[in-house]
Amino acid sequence: MPAFAVLAEVSDRPGILSGLTRVLADHQANITYVDIHDAGEPTSDIYFEFTLEGSDVSRILADMQQVPGVRLVEETPNFARIYGKRIIVMGGGAQVGFVAMGAITEADRHNIRGERISIDTIPLVGEQELAAAVRAAARLPRVRMLVLAGSLMGGAITEAVKEVQSYGLRVISLNQAGSVTDVADLVVSDPVQAGVMAVMAVAETAKFDLMRQLKRRY
Amino acid sequence: MPAFAVLAEVSDRPGILSGLTRVLADHQANITYVDIHDAGEPTSDIYFEFTLEGSDVSRILADMQQVPGVRLVEETPNFARIYGKRIIVMGGGAQVGFVAMGAITEADRHNIRGERISIDTIPLVGEQELAAAVRAAARLPRVRMLVLAGSLMGGAITEAVKEVQSYGLRVISLNQAGSVTDVADLVVSDPVQAGVMAVMAVAETAKFDLMRQLKRRY
């Protein structure tokens, strides 16, 4: 189905999102992404991505423009084309930095050839904090891979990894203490190589099939 | 106003987002963030953050549960608490990697003291591609700082920087060829230091006032 992205500048008050989503529902548009951004009081930007079968996007724009509180509606390039697939690296700062270095350098090589891969990181300590961040990663848009960059991860983190794997998210772990290496899809000792492999696994431009490497250790 | 986060597991079909936002509007909730995530066919997860004055969140949960197509609704920890403020680094791979290294190491030091700062990157070349990514950064949630890590940036990129600055986003640039250094809020030669300064500028735990450094070069 054709995909569209639309940006609406609106007054910052309750009910406008409801009005705009009503228009999209009336046109049978299937909303795949929404983002609300404070453009500064008293206005906000609301950004939609949606797929549409048969209906005319210009009629949707015209109907959105009629919703009370809407100032401006326009088509815009979509995030998937700009920021692409995301790899999230989390754990201790030193190791997150080296995984990111490997992943960014490798993503650069693929992005030059037409891929669009971005590397997001969060340096974070604590079992409960990391478990919450792992769970939340599965709810973030466009995330294809999680890399756990630490020296000791287990317990609640391992349970969170199993949960996000059940949603289809793949997880690479550095070779480290704790039970997380027992459940990771791939275990890698060198942080730079872990970053490179994470990118290779999600790049269409790479010949690396993570499924053939499952449960291996490097 | 008290802030809440709610996760709804729903059937993947048009109209459900409209039904859920109608419930929030009816309760005068002000929606600050929405995320839609495919949890795998045929269900999706829809995540809301909203502020609420006076009304009872448990009544909102109960009303959301009654929307046709909704399977499960529950309160959940919010992204702002988990991933916090975002710094986005974009440009050529080698320099993005070193800026990220500095930023991640510095963020680690602040996150240990209670901050929550994440570093997101996109290695990207091309004037139009970078200009689009700069503009899109202003629409992404929780972004506090943009770091331009390249060797030559000007033209459409400079225009995009001026535009996002007008929305309140701050921009640090590496010392490089092109007109982008004329408009950046701060220009830094060493990529590691640029990353460190970006984190210091957004961290509540740091004593660094970017406004006092405006238009300086290091």
Coordinates of all heavy atoms in Angstrom, one line a residue, chain A residues 7 14-15 17-18 21-22 25 29-31 34-37 47 76-77 79 82-83 86 90 93 96-97 100-101 104 107-108 111 116-124 129 133 136-141, chain B residues 7 12 14-15 17-18 21-22 25 29 31 34-37 47 76-77 79 82-83 86 90 93 96-97 100-101 104 107-108 111 116-124 129 133 136-141:
Chain A
L7 N 2.5 16.5 8.0 CA 2.9 17.3 9.2 C 1.8 18.3 9.4 O 1.4 19.1 8.5 CB 4.2 18.0 9.0 CG 4.8 18.7 10.2 CD1 5.2 17.7 11.3 CD2 6.1 19.5 9.7
P14 N -6.2 19.9 24.2 CA -6.8 18.5 24.1 C -7.8 18.4 23.0 O -8.5 19.3 22.7 CB -7.5 18.3 25.5 CG -6.8 19.3 26.4 CD -6.4 20.5 25.6
G15 N -7.8 17.2 22.3 CA -8.9 16.9 21.4 C -8.4 17.0 19.9 O -9.1 16.5 19.1
L17 N -5.7 15.8 18.4 CA -5.2 14.5 17.9 C -6.4 13.6 17.6 O -6.4 12.9 16.6 CB -4.3 13.9 18.9 CG -3.6 12.6 18.5 CD1 -2.7 12.8 17.2 CD2 -2.8 12.0 19.6
S18 N -7.4 13.7 18.4 CA -8.6 12.9 18.2 C -9.3 13.3 16.9 O -9.7 12.5 16.1 CB -9.6 13.1 19.4 OG -10.8 12.5 19.2
T21 N -7.1 12.1 13.9 CA -7.1 10.6 13.7 C -8.5 10.2 13.2 O -8.6 9.2 12.5 CB -6.7 9.9 15.0 OG1 -7.6 10.3 16.1 CG2 -5.3 10.1 15.3
R22 N -9.6 11.0 13.6 CA -10.9 10.7 13.1 C -10.9 10.8 11.5 O -11.5 10.0 10.8 CB -11.9 11.7 13.7 CG -13.4 11.5 13.3 CD -14.0 10.4 14.0 NE -14.0 9.2 13.2 CZ -14.1 7.9 13.7 NH1 -14.0 7.7 14.9 NH2 -14.1 6.9 12.8
A25 N -9.2 7.9 10.0 CA -10.0 6.7 10.2 C -11.2 6.7 9.1 O -11.5 5.7 8.5 CB -10.6 6.5 11.6
A29 N -7.4 5.2 6.4 CA -5.9 5.2 6.4 C -5.5 4.4 7.6 O -6.1 4.5 8.7 CB -5.4 6.6 6.5
N30 N -4.4 3.6 7.5 CA -3.8 2.8 8.6 C -2.6 3.6 9.1 O -1.6 3.6 8.4 CB -3.5 1.4 8.1 CG -3.3 0.5 9.3 OD1 -3.8 0.7 10.4 ND2 -2.5 -0.6 9.1
I31 N -2.7 4.2 10.3 CA -1.7 5.0 10.8 C -0.5 4.1 11.4 O -0.8 3.2 12.2 CB -2.2 5.9 12.0 CG1 -3.4 6.7 11.5 CG2 -1.1 6.7 12.6 CD1 -4.1 7.5 12.6
V34 N 3.1 8.1 14.7 CA 2.6 9.4 15.1 C 3.7 10.0 15.9 O 4.3 9.4 16.7 CB 1.3 9.3 16.0 CG1 0.8 10.8 16.3 CG2 0.3 8.5 15.3
D35 N 3.9 11.3 15.7 CA 4.8 12.0 16.6 C 4.3 13.4 16.9 O 3.8 14.1 16.1 CB 6.2 12.1 16.0 CG 7.2 12.6 17.0 OD1 7.1 12.2 18.2 OD2 8.1 13.3 16.6
I36 N 4.4 13.7 18.2 CA 3.9 15.0 18.6 C 5.1 15.8 19.1 O 5.9 15.3 19.9 CB 2.9 14.9 19.8 CG1 1.7 14.1 19.4 CG2 2.5 16.3 20.3 CD1 0.8 13.7 20.5
H37 N 5.3 17.0 18.6 CA 6.4 17.8 19.0 C 6.0 19.2 19.3 O 5.3 19.9 18.5 CB 7.4 17.8 17.8 CG 8.7 18.4 18.2 ND1 9.7 17.7 18.9 CD2 9.2 19.7 18.1 CE1 10.7 18.5 19.1 NE2 10.5 19.7 18.6
Y47 N 2.9 14.8 13.6 CA 3.5 14.2 12.4 C 2.9 12.8 12.3 O 2.9 12.0 13.3 CB 5.0 14.1 12.5 CG 5.7 13.3 11.5 CD1 6.0 13.7 10.2 CD2 6.0 11.9 11.8 CE1 6.6 12.9 9.3 CE2 6.7 11.1 10.9 CZ 7.0 11.6 9.7 OH 7.6 10.8 8.8
T76 N 5.2 15.7 3.8 CA 6.5 15.9 4.2 C 7.3 14.5 4.0 O 6.7 13.5 3.9 CB 6.5 16.3 5.7 OG1 7.8 16.6 6.1 CG2 6.0 15.3 6.6
P77 N 8.6 14.6 3.9 CA 9.4 13.3 3.8 C 9.3 12.5 5.1 O 9.2 13.1 6.1 CB 10.8 13.7 3.6 CG 10.8 15.2 3.3 CD 9.5 15.7 3.9
F79 N 10.2 9.8 8.2 CA 11.4 9.5 9.0 C 12.1 8.2 8.6 O 13.3 8.1 8.7 CB 11.0 9.2 10.5 CG 10.8 10.5 11.3 CD1 9.7 10.5 12.2 CD2 11.6 11.6 11.1 CE1 9.5 11.7 12.9 CE2 11.4 12.7 11.8 CZ 10.4 12.8 12.7
I82 N 14.6 9.1 6.2 CA 15.7 9.9 6.7 C 16.6 9.2 7.8 O 17.8 9.2 7.6 CB 15.1 11.2 7.3 CG1 14.5 12.0 6.2 CG2 16.2 12.0 8.0 CD1 13.7 13.3 6.6
Y83 N 15.9 8.6 8.8 CA 16.8 8.0 9.9 C 16.8 6.5 9.7 O 17.7 5.9 10.3 CB 16.3 8.4 11.2 CG 16.7 9.8 11.6 CD1 15.8 10.9 11.4 CD2 17.9 10.1 12.0 CE1 16.1 12.2 11.7 CE2 18.3 11.4 12.3 CZ 17.4 12.4 12.2 OH 17.8 13.7 12.4
R86 N 17.1 1.4 13.0 CA 17.8 1.8 14.2 C 18.5 0.6 14.9 O 17.8 -0.4 15.1 CB 16.9 2.5 15.2 CG 16.3 3.8 14.7 CD 15.2 4.3 15.6 NE 15.7 4.9 16.8 CZ 14.9 5.4 17.8 NH1 13.6 5.2 17.7 NH2 15.4 6.0 18.8
M90 N 23.3 -0.3 24.5 CA 23.1 0.1 25.8 C 24.0 -0.6 26.8 O 24.4 -1.7 26.5 CB 21.7 0.0 26.3 CG 21.1 -1.4 26.3 SD 19.4 -1.4 26.9 CE 18.5 -0.6 25.5
G93 N 29.5 3.0 29.8 CA 29.9 4.0 28.8 C 31.1 3.6 28.0 O 31.1 3.8 26.7
V96 N 30.0 0.9 25.5 CA 29.0 1.5 24.5 C 29.7 2.4 23.5 O 29.4 2.3 22.3 CB 27.9 2.4 25.3 CG1 27.1 3.1 24.3 CG2 27.1 1.5 26.2
G97 N 30.7 3.1 23.9 CA 31.4 4.0 23.0 C 32.2 3.2 21.9 O 32.1 3.6 20.8
A100 N 29.6 1.6 19.6 CA 29.1 2.7 18.7 C 30.1 3.0 17.6 O 29.7 3.2 16.4 CB 28.8 3.9 19.5
M101 N 31.4 3.1 18.0 CA 32.4 3.4 17.0 C 32.4 2.4 15.9 O 32.4 2.8 14.7 CB 33.8 3.4 17.7 CG 34.9 3.8 16.9 SD 35.0 5.5 16.5 CE 35.7 6.2 18.0
I104 N 29.0 2.8 13.9 CA 28.9 4.0 13.1 C 29.7 3.9 11.9 O 29.3 4.3 10.8 CB 29.2 5.3 14.0 CG1 28.2 5.5 15.0 CG2 29.4 6.5 13.1 CD1 28.6 6.4 16.2
A107 N 28.1 1.5 9.5 CA 26.8 2.1 9.0 C 27.2 3.1 7.9 O 26.5 3.2 6.9 CB 26.0 2.7 10.1
D108 N 28.2 3.9 8.1 CA 28.7 4.9 7.1 C 29.0 4.2 5.8 O 28.5 4.7 4.7 CB 29.9 5.6 7.7 CG 30.3 6.8 6.9 OD1 29.5 7.7 6.7 OD2 31.5 6.9 6.5
N111 N 25.6 3.2 4.4 CA 24.7 4.3 4.0 C 25.2 5.0 2.7 O 24.4 5.5 1.9 CB 24.6 5.3 5.2 CG 23.8 4.8 6.4 OD1 23.2 3.7 6.3 ND2 23.9 5.5 7.5
R116 N 20.1 3.1 5.0 CA 19.9 4.2 5.9 C 19.8 3.6 7.3 O 18.7 3.1 7.7 CB 18.6 5.0 5.5 CG 18.5 6.4 6.0 CD 19.8 7.2 5.7 NE 19.8 7.8 4.4 CZ 19.3 9.0 4.0 NH1 18.7 9.7 4.9 NH2 19.4 9.4 2.8
I117 N 20.9 3.6 8.0 CA 21.0 2.9 9.3 C 21.5 3.9 10.3 O 22.5 4.6 10.1 CB 21.9 1.7 9.3 CG1 21.4 0.6 8.3 CG2 22.1 1.1 10.7 CD1 22.3 -0.5 8.0
S118 N 20.8 4.1 11.4 CA 21.3 5.0 12.5 C 21.6 4.2 13.7 O 21.0 3.2 14.0 CB 20.2 6.2 12.7 OG 19.0 5.7 13.1
I119 N 22.5 4.7 14.5 CA 23.0 4.0 15.7 C 22.6 4.9 16.9 O 23.1 6.0 17.1 CB 24.5 3.8 15.7 CG1 25.0 3.4 14.3 CG2 25.0 2.9 16.8 CD1 24.5 2.0 13.9
D120 N 21.8 4.4 17.8 CA 21.4 5.1 19.0 C 22.0 4.4 20.2 O 22.0 3.2 20.3 CB 19.9 5.1 19.1 CG 19.2 5.9 17.9 OD1 20.0 6.5 17.2 OD2 18.0 5.8 17.8
T121 N 22.3 5.2 21.2 CA 23.0 4.6 22.4 C 22.4 5.2 23.7 O 21.9 6.4 23.7 CB 24.5 5.0 22.4 OG1 24.7 6.4 22.6 CG2 25.1 4.6 21.0
I122 N 22.5 4.4 24.7 CA 22.2 5.0 26.1 C 23.2 4.3 27.1 O 23.2 3.1 27.3 CB 20.7 4.8 26.5 CG1 20.5 5.1 27.9 CG2 20.2 3.4 26.2 CD1 19.9 6.5 28.2
P123 N 24.1 5.2 27.6 CA 25.0 4.6 28.7 C 24.2 4.6 30.0 O 23.7 5.6 30.4 CB 26.1 5.7 28.7 CG 25.6 6.9 28.2 CD 24.4 6.6 27.4
L124 N 24.1 3.4 30.6 CA 23.2 3.2 31.7 C 23.7 2.1 32.6 O 24.1 1.1 32.1 CB 21.9 2.8 31.0 CG 20.6 2.8 31.7 CD1 20.3 4.3 32.1 CD2 19.4 2.3 30.9
E129 N 17.2 -0.6 35.7 CA 17.2 0.4 34.7 C 17.5 -0.2 33.3 O 16.8 0.2 32.4 CB 18.3 1.5 35.0 CG 18.0 2.4 36.2 CD 18.3 1.7 37.6 OE1 18.7 0.5 37.6 OE2 18.1 2.4 38.6
A133 N 15.0 -0.4 30.0 CA 15.5 0.2 28.7 C 15.4 -0.9 27.6 O 15.0 -0.6 26.5 CB 16.9 0.7 28.8
A136 N 11.7 -1.2 26.8 CA 11.3 0.0 26.0 C 11.8 0.0 24.6 O 11.1 0.5 23.7 CB 11.7 1.3 26.8
A137 N 13.0 -0.6 24.4 CA 13.5 -0.6 23.0 C 12.6 -1.3 22.0 O 12.5 -0.9 20.9 CB 14.9 -1.3 23.0
A138 N 11.9 -2.3 22.5 CA 10.9 -3.0 21.6 C 9.7 -2.1 21.3 O 9.0 -2.4 20.3 CB 10.5 -4.3 22.3
R139 N 9.5 -1.1 22.1 CA 8.4 -0.2 21.8 C 8.8 1.0 20.9 O 8.0 1.8 20.4 CB 7.7 0.3 23.1 CG 7.2 -0.7 24.0 CD 6.2 -0.1 24.9 NE 6.6 1.1 25.5 CZ 7.1 1.2 26.7 NH1 7.4 0.2 27.5 NH2 7.5 2.4 27.2
L140 N 10.1 1.3 20.8 CA 10.6 2.4 20.0 C 10.4 2.1 18.5 O 10.6 0.9 18.1 CB 12.0 2.7 20.3 CG 12.3 3.3 21.7 CD1 13.9 3.3 21.9 CD2 11.8 4.7 21.8
P141 N 10.2 3.1 17.7 CA 10.0 2.8 16.3 C 11.3 2.5 15.5 O 12.3 2.9 15.9 CB 9.4 4.1 15.7 CG 9.8 5.2 16.7 CD 9.9 4.5 18.0
Chain B
L7 N 0.1 1.9 27.9 CA 0.3 1.1 26.8 C -0.9 0.3 26.5 O -1.5 -0.4 27.4 CB 1.5 0.1 27.1 CG 2.0 -0.8 26.0 CD1 2.7 0.1 24.9 CD2 3.1 -1.7 26.5
D12 N -4.8 -4.5 14.8 CA -4.1 -3.6 13.8 C -5.1 -3.3 12.7 O -5.1 -3.9 11.6 CB -2.9 -4.3 13.2 CG -2.0 -3.4 12.5 OD1 -2.3 -2.2 12.5 OD2 -1.0 -3.8 12.0
P14 N -7.7 0.3 11.0 CA -8.0 1.7 11.0 C -9.0 2.1 12.1 O -9.9 1.3 12.3 CB -8.5 2.0 9.6 CG -8.0 0.9 8.8 CD -7.9 -0.3 9.6
G15 N -8.9 3.2 12.7 CA -9.9 3.7 13.6 C -9.7 3.5 15.1 O -10.3 4.2 15.9
L17 N -6.8 4.2 16.9 CA -6.2 5.3 17.4 C -7.2 6.5 17.6 O -7.1 7.2 18.7 CB -5.0 5.8 16.5 CG -4.1 6.9 17.0 CD1 -3.5 6.5 18.3 CD2 -3.1 7.3 16.0
S18 N -8.1 6.6 16.7 CA -9.1 7.6 16.8 C -10.0 7.4 18.0 O -10.3 8.3 18.8 CB -10.0 7.6 15.5 OG -11.1 8.4 15.7
T21 N -7.8 8.2 21.3 CA -7.6 9.6 21.5 C -8.9 10.3 21.8 O -8.9 11.3 22.6 CB -7.0 10.3 20.2 OG1 -7.8 10.0 19.1 CG2 -5.6 9.8 20.0
R22 N -10.0 9.8 21.4 CA -11.4 10.3 21.8 C -11.5 10.2 23.3 O -12.0 11.2 23.9 CB -12.5 9.6 21.0 CG -13.9 10.0 21.3 CD -14.2 11.3 20.5 NE -14.1 12.4 21.4 CZ -13.8 13.7 20.9 NH1 -13.6 13.9 19.7 NH2 -13.7 14.7 21.8
A25 N -9.3 12.8 25.0 CA -9.9 14.1 24.8 C -11.1 14.3 25.7 O -11.3 15.4 26.3 CB -10.3 14.3 23.3
A29 N -7.4 15.1 28.8 CA -6.0 14.7 28.9 C -5.2 15.4 27.7 O -5.7 15.5 26.6 CB -5.7 13.2 28.8
I31 N -2.3 15.0 25.3 CA -1.4 14.0 24.8 C 0.0 14.6 24.5 O 0.0 15.6 23.6 CB -2.0 13.2 23.6 CG1 -3.3 12.6 24.0 CG2 -1.0 12.2 23.2 CD1 -4.1 12.1 22.9
V34 N 2.9 10.0 21.4 CA 2.2 8.8 21.0 C 3.3 7.9 20.2 O 4.1 8.4 19.5 CB 1.1 9.1 20.0 CG1 0.3 7.8 19.6 CG2 0.2 10.1 20.5
D35 N 3.2 6.6 20.4 CA 4.0 5.8 19.6 C 3.2 4.5 19.2 O 2.5 4.0 20.1 CB 5.3 5.4 20.4 CG 6.3 4.7 19.4 OD1 6.4 5.1 18.3 OD2 7.0 3.8 19.9
I36 N 3.3 4.1 18.0 CA 2.7 2.9 17.5 C 3.7 1.9 17.2 O 4.7 2.2 16.5 CB 1.8 3.3 16.2 CG1 0.8 4.3 16.5 CG2 1.1 2.0 15.7 CD1 0.1 4.8 15.3
H37 N 3.6 0.7 17.7 CA 4.6 -0.3 17.4 C 3.9 -1.6 17.0 O 3.0 -2.1 17.7 CB 5.4 -0.5 18.6 CG 6.6 -1.4 18.3 ND1 7.7 -0.9 17.7 CD2 6.8 -2.7 18.5 CE1 8.6 -1.9 17.5 NE2 8.1 -3.0 18.0
Y47 N 1.3 3.4 22.4 CA 1.9 3.9 23.7 C 1.6 5.4 23.7 O 1.8 6.1 22.8 CB 3.4 3.7 23.7 CG 4.1 4.4 24.8 CD1 4.2 3.9 26.1 CD2 4.8 5.6 24.5 CE1 4.9 4.5 27.0 CE2 5.5 6.3 25.5 CZ 5.6 5.7 26.7 OH 6.3 6.4 27.7
T76 N 2.4 2.2 32.4 CA 3.8 1.7 32.1 C 4.8 2.9 32.4 O 4.4 4.0 32.4 CB 3.8 1.3 30.6 OG1 5.1 0.7 30.3 CG2 3.5 2.4 29.6
P77 N 6.0 2.6 32.6 CA 7.0 3.7 32.8 C 7.2 4.5 31.5 O 7.1 3.9 30.4 CB 8.3 2.9 33.1 CG 8.0 1.5 33.4 CD 6.7 1.2 32.7
F79 N 9.0 6.9 28.5 CA 10.3 7.0 27.8 C 11.2 8.1 28.3 O 12.4 7.9 28.3 CB 10.0 7.3 26.3 CG 9.6 6.1 25.5 CD1 8.7 6.2 24.5 CD2 10.2 4.8 25.8 CE1 8.3 5.1 23.7 CE2 9.8 3.7 25.0 CZ 8.9 3.9 24.0
I82 N 13.1 6.7 30.9 CA 14.1 5.6 30.5 C 15.2 6.2 29.5 O 16.3 5.9 29.8 CB 13.3 4.5 29.8 CG1 12.4 3.8 30.9 CG2 14.2 3.5 29.2 CD1 11.5 2.8 30.3
Y83 N 14.8 6.8 28.4 CA 15.8 7.3 27.5 C 16.2 8.7 27.6 O 17.2 9.2 27.1 CB 15.4 7.0 26.0 CG 15.5 5.5 25.7 CD1 14.4 4.7 25.8 CD2 16.7 4.9 25.4 CE1 14.5 3.3 25.5 CE2 16.8 3.6 25.1 CZ 15.7 2.8 25.2 OH 15.9 1.5 25.0
R86 N 17.8 13.6 24.4 CA 18.6 13.0 23.3 C 19.5 14.1 22.7 O 19.1 15.2 22.5 CB 17.7 12.5 22.2 CG 16.8 11.4 22.6 CD 15.7 11.2 21.6 NE 16.1 10.5 20.5 CZ 15.3 10.2 19.4 NH1 14.1 10.6 19.4 NH2 15.8 9.5 18.4
M90 N 25.3 13.9 13.7 CA 25.2 13.5 12.3 C 26.3 14.0 11.4 O 26.9 15.1 11.7 CB 23.9 13.9 11.6 CG 23.6 15.4 11.6 SD 22.0 15.8 10.9 CE 20.8 15.2 12.1
G93 N 31.2 9.3 8.9 CA 31.4 8.2 9.9 C 32.5 8.4 10.9 O 32.3 8.3 12.1
V96 N 31.7 11.3 13.3 CA 30.5 10.9 14.1 C 30.9 10.0 15.2 O 30.5 10.1 16.4 CB 29.4 10.3 13.2 CG1 28.3 9.7 14.1 CG2 28.8 11.4 12.3
G97 N 31.8 9.0 14.8 CA 32.2 8.0 15.8 C 33.0 8.7 17.0 O 32.7 8.3 18.1
A100 N 30.6 10.8 19.1 CA 29.8 9.8 19.9 C 30.6 9.3 21.1 O 30.1 9.2 22.2 CB 29.3 8.7 19.0
M101 N 31.9 9.0 20.8 CA 32.7 8.4 21.9 C 32.8 9.4 23.1 O 32.6 9.1 24.2 CB 34.1 8.2 21.3 CG 35.1 7.6 22.3 SD 34.7 5.9 22.7 CE 35.4 5.0 21.3
I104 N 29.2 9.8 24.7 CA 28.7 8.6 25.4 C 29.5 8.5 26.8 O 28.9 8.3 27.8 CB 28.9 7.3 24.6 CG1 27.9 7.3 23.4 CG2 28.8 6.1 25.5 CD1 28.3 6.3 22.3
A107 N 28.1 11.3 29.0 CA 26.8 11.0 29.4 C 26.8 9.9 30.5 O 26.0 10.0 31.5 CB 25.9 10.5 28.2
D108 N 27.7 8.9 30.3 CA 27.8 7.9 31.3 C 28.1 8.5 32.7 O 27.5 8.1 33.7 CB 28.9 6.9 30.9 CG 29.0 5.7 31.7 OD1 28.0 5.0 31.8 OD2 30.1 5.3 32.3
N111 N 24.8 10.2 33.8 CA 23.7 9.3 34.1 C 23.9 8.5 35.4 O 23.0 8.2 36.1 CB 23.6 8.3 32.9 CG 23.1 9.0 31.7 OD1 22.7 10.2 31.7 ND2 23.0 8.3 30.6
R116 N 19.6 11.4 32.7 CA 19.2 10.4 31.7 C 19.4 11.0 30.3 O 18.5 11.7 29.9 CB 17.8 9.9 32.0 CG 17.5 8.5 31.4 CD 18.5 7.5 31.9 NE 18.3 6.9 33.2 CZ 17.6 5.9 33.5 NH1 16.9 5.3 32.5 NH2 17.4 5.5 34.7
I117 N 20.6 10.8 29.8 CA 20.9 11.4 28.5 C 21.3 10.3 27.5 O 22.1 9.4 27.8 CB 22.1 12.4 28.6 CG1 21.7 13.6 29.5 CG2 22.5 12.9 27.2 CD1 22.8 14.5 29.9
S118 N 20.7 10.2 26.3 CA 21.1 9.2 25.3 C 21.6 9.9 24.1 O 21.3 11.1 23.8 CB 19.9 8.3 25.0 OG 18.8 9.1 24.5
I119 N 22.6 9.2 23.4 CA 23.3 9.8 22.3 C 22.9 9.0 21.0 O 23.1 7.8 20.9 CB 24.8 9.7 22.5 CG1 25.3 10.1 23.9 CG2 25.5 10.5 21.4 CD1 24.9 11.5 24.3
D120 N 22.2 9.7 20.1 CA 21.8 9.1 18.8 C 22.6 9.6 17.7 O 23.0 10.8 17.6 CB 20.3 9.4 18.6 CG 19.4 8.8 19.7 OD1 20.0 8.0 20.5 OD2 18.3 9.1 19.7
T121 N 22.9 8.7 16.7 CA 23.8 9.1 15.6 C 23.3 8.7 14.3 O 22.5 7.7 14.2 CB 25.2 8.5 15.8 OG1 25.1 7.1 15.5 CG2 25.8 8.7 17.2
I122 N 23.6 9.4 13.2 CA 23.4 8.9 11.9 C 24.5 9.4 11.0 O 24.8 10.5 10.8 CB 22.0 9.4 11.4 CG1 21.8 9.1 9.9 CG2 21.7 10.9 11.6 CD1 21.0 8.0 9.5
P123 N 25.3 8.4 10.5 CA 26.4 8.7 9.6 C 25.8 8.9 8.2 O 25.1 8.0 7.7 CB 27.3 7.4 9.6 CG 26.4 6.3 10.1 CD 25.2 6.9 10.8
L124 N 26.0 10.0 7.6 CA 25.2 10.4 6.4 C 26.0 11.4 5.6 O 26.6 12.3 6.1 CB 23.9 11.1 7.0 CG 22.7 11.3 6.1 CD1 22.2 9.9 5.6 CD2 21.6 12.0 6.9
E129 N 20.6 15.3 1.8 CA 20.3 14.3 2.8 C 20.5 14.9 4.2 O 19.7 14.7 5.1 CB 21.2 13.1 2.6 CG 20.8 12.2 1.4 CD 21.3 12.8 0.1 OE1 21.9 13.9 0.1 OE2 21.1 12.2 -1.0
A133 N 17.8 15.6 7.3 CA 18.0 15.0 8.6 C 18.1 16.1 9.7 O 17.5 15.9 10.8 CB 19.3 14.2 8.6
A136 N 14.5 17.2 10.2 CA 13.7 16.1 10.9 C 14.1 16.0 12.4 O 13.2 15.7 13.2 CB 13.9 14.8 10.2
A137 N 15.3 16.3 12.7 CA 15.8 16.3 14.1 C 14.9 17.1 15.0 O 14.6 16.8 16.2 CB 17.2 16.7 14.3
A138 N 14.4 18.3 14.5 CA 13.6 19.1 15.3 C 12.2 18.5 15.5 O 11.5 19.0 16.4 CB 13.4 20.5 14.6
R139 N 11.8 17.5 14.7 CA 10.5 16.9 14.9 C 10.6 15.6 15.7 O 9.6 15.1 16.1 CB 9.9 16.5 13.5 CG 9.7 17.6 12.6 CD 8.6 17.3 11.5 NE 8.9 15.9 11.0 CZ 9.5 15.7 9.8 NH1 10.0 16.7 9.1 NH2 9.6 14.5 9.4
L140 N 11.8 15.1 16.0 CA 12.0 13.9 16.8 C 11.7 14.3 18.3 O 12.1 15.4 18.7 CB 13.4 13.3 16.7 CG 13.7 12.7 15.3 CD1 15.1 12.4 15.2 CD2 12.8 11.4 15.2
P141 N 11.2 13.4 19.1 CA 10.9 13.7 20.5 C 12.2 13.8 21.3 O 13.1 13.1 21.1 CB 10.0 12.5 20.9 CG 10.3 11.4 20.0 CD 10.7 12.0 18.7

